[in-house]
Amino acid sequence: MSETENEAPGVYEYYRSLRQQAPVVEQQGAWQVARYADVRQVLRDHETFSSAVAPPVPNAPPSMLFSDPPIHNRLRKLVSYAFKPSHIEAQHGLVKARCDELMASMRQHEEVDLVDALAAPLPVTVIAQMLGVEDGNMQDFKRWSDKIFSNIGEILFAQPDASVQEATEEMNAYFLDRIEKLRPAPGNNLLGRLIRTETEDGHLSDEELLSFCRLLLIAGNETTTGLITGCVRVFDEMPETFAALKANHDLIPRFIEETLRFYSPFSATVRRTTRATELSGVAIPEGVIVVPLFASANRDESVFDQADEFVIDRDPNPHLAFGYGIHNCLGAHLARLEGRIAVAGMVDALDRIEISETADRAQFDRLGGPATLPVRIARAL
């Protein structure tokens, strides 16, 4: 199943040219890294390639996503218990029940927006339940998450526009109100446990709790949304994959891994060098932004046989879609679980799903996947 048999996305042709001709190259002040070995090296060596990429904001609590050890380790430890594989598998019933509800609604239509109908509400509902804010407005949660996540570059390195600031202020106000109400009697959920937590510096401040809420709400849904839209992109371009999964559910876990490799939900991340270094024989100065390209590394011909083909049962599949090293995606197990259940739900409930002609395919290159994705469906009898 080759990409040339469908449409050959220009971005993957560009990545191929980088791997072959300019695996480490400066463009507009940032150094792009295209080969698998180099991307993994950047992600592994946090002492040389720091996650603290932006200037610190006075009086702002550190972010787990954009910090290095020991701060990163302390912050990650506070929430990692909730994302252990055993705990995530315990969410299976919740995810399945919500997926069944959404699929029952989808089956009533011949055309729907996949993001609104399934890819967004499924993970948002689950992370809201885990946080203990399941009675909140899921549409607001997704709107805030999308607005902040899609403008992360401006937030880190420039001045975000008024709409981003408004979304941030709305999210902050909501969670600060919830934190204030929960402090006297924290519930048995992730936010309640964080409120009860005592560190060497005492209880977490409102700003520290707010930082966790923002991170978990955004990270807890954007990855799965991108994964589900990527799966449907594969179904549209290679309908035989849908038929194969319908006939054999045992293929679903490897199908999920291959989709993560083939259409990575996040094409890249960002680091900053703490000292002069070298990758693939190219000298990189100290203090510059480095952009490891996940989507390119996951098509690296030196690592993956038939790298530009979708191999539904590929094994092994050492893709970097969830990162690598100390910053590997905290929600990877949750995204995999939600992806498996969503795919099983689609192949059981539907006979066909394909992307509508009205879809803006340019959105596939958007960080985290398309904001909307109209699809046509035929329900199974």
Side-chain angles (χ1 to χ4, degrees), residues 299-368:
R299 299 282 189 106
D300 192 324
E301 301 83 354
S302 70
V303 176
F304 302 97
D305 292 335
Q306 301 173 301
D308 282 329
E309 294 187 15
F310 189 95
V311 180
I312 196 170
D313 58 351
R314 184 183 296 274
D315 185 41
N317 193 345
H319 64 75
L320 301 175
F322 288 129
Y324 186 82
I326 63 169
H327 281 278
N328 66 299
C329 179
L330 185 66
H333 294 295
L334 180 58
R336 285 183 166 109
L337 175 68
E338 292 169 336
R340 293 197 307 266
I341 291 173
V343 166
M346 285 187 282
V347 300
D348 284 344
L350 307 175
D351 276 339
R352 185 180 69 257
I353 183 167
E354 56 192 17
I355 298 172
S356 170
E357 297 87 349
T358 63
D360 179 7
R361 291 180 179 262
Q363 282 198 40
F364 283 132
D365 295 333
R366 175 180 175 270
L367 190 65

Side-chain angles (χ1 to χ4, degrees), residues 189-345:
N189 49 58
L190 180 52
L191 182 53
R193 178 160 177 162
L194 287 171
I195 289 172
R196 290 194 300 270
T197 295
E198 281 198 64
T199 69
E200 61 273 16
D201 300 319
H203 287 289
L204 297 174
S205 68
D206 284 357
E207 283 299 317
E208 288 173 319
L209 291 167
L210 190 59
S211 177
F212 276 120
C213 289
R214 285 193 298 256
L215 171 64
L216 294 170
L217 181 65
I218 294 171
N221 79 79
E222 296 290 345
T223 303
T224 300
T225 299
L227 170 57
I228 292 174
T229 56
C231 289
V232 172
R233 185 178 180 184
V234 173
F235 291 153
D236 176 76
E237 296 172 357
M238 294 163 265
E240 64 273 23
T241 60
F242 189 89
L245 299 182
K246 201 172 185 66
N248 183 4
H249 278 208
D250 290 344
L251 288 171
I252 291 177
R254 288 187 185 176
F255 169 84
I256 292 293
E257 297 305 314
E258 182 67 343
T259 300
L260 287 164
R261 182 194 74 86
F262 200 72
Y263 287 138
S264 304
F266 306 128
S267 59
T269 188
V270 62
R271 297 288 189 267
R272 185 184 292 275
T273 54
T274 61
R275 54 196 174 205
T277 187
E278 181 180 294
L279 290 171
S280 283
V282 178
I284 304 175
E286 177 184 351
V288 298
I289 292 297
V290 173
V291 180
L293 298 170
F294 295 148
S296 175
N298 287 338
R299 299 282 189 106
D300 192 324
E301 301 83 354
S302 70
V303 176
F304 302 97
D305 292 335
Q306 301 173 301
D308 282 329
E309 294 187 15
F310 189 95
V311 180
I312 196 170
D313 58 351
R314 184 183 296 274
D315 185 41
N317 193 345
H319 64 75
L320 301 175
F322 288 129
Y324 186 82
I326 63 169
H327 281 278
N328 66 299
C329 179
L330 185 66
H333 294 295
L334 180 58
R336 285 183 166 109
L337 175 68
E338 292 169 336
R340 293 197 307 266
I341 291 173
V343 166

